[in-house]
Amino acid sequence: MKALLRISSDITTKAPGTRARFTRALAKNLRDALAGAGVEARVTRDHVRLYLESEDERAVEVACRVFGIHSASPCLDEEAGDLDQLVERGVELYKDAVSTATYAVRSKVRGKLPFGSQ
């Protein structure tokens, strides 16, 4: 299981050096909390995000109890072959969840893909 951890907005508004120091400290605290709960997990970070990878389902629950973690969103690894395949997979995953609702998709493309975000 993989999860994107949203960190507290207080950290994201700090100066770059302070933000990096706080994010490092938060990642360390998260690793300590996971180890204390007996959960094997891998925590990685980038500019203002933390990523959690674990086989143990308790990892997200433990992460959400760490001060500075605002929320956890489960993630899926999907290969983006072409736009049609991506749309097909999205329909397969979310058809029932959005069948009675209106919604919008706002995409951001990271990396090189054979299609744009429009």
Side-chain angles (χ1 to χ4, degrees), residues 10-87:
D10 294 347
I11 294 174
T12 61
T13 61
K14 303 294 183 198
T18 305
R19 180 176 49 238
R21 184 167 43 95
F22 282 13
T23 306
R24 276 193 306 273
L26 181 56
K28 181 190 178 306
N29 291 345
L30 178 58
R31 287 184 191 101
D32 290 345
L34 290 164
V39 175
E40 276 192 41
R42 182 172 159 228
V43 177
T44 54
R45 65 182 182 87
D46 67 10
H47 184 61
V48 289
R49 291 185 181 89
L50 292 176
Y51 303 95
L52 177 66
E53 290 182 53
S54 178
E55 296 298 321
D56 195 330
E57 294 297 322
R58 297 176 300 151
V60 170
E61 181 184 324
V62 171
C64 287
R65 291 193 314 246
V66 173
F67 183 78
I69 301 293
H70 186 268
S71 65
S73 301
C75 301
L76 298 172
D77 276 338
E78 296 290 333
E79 288 293 323
D82 66 3
L83 187 56
D84 292 332
Q85 288 176 339
L86 190 60
V87 169

Side-chain angles (χ1 to χ4, degrees), residues 89-110:
R89 183 67 174 138
V91 168
E92 180 182 315
L93 288 171
Y94 302 110
K95 182 180 180 180
D96 295 335
V98 298
S99 64
T100 61
T102 59
Y103 63 96
V105 175
R106 292 177 183 84
S107 63
K108 293 182 182 178
V109 176
R110 286 194 170 178

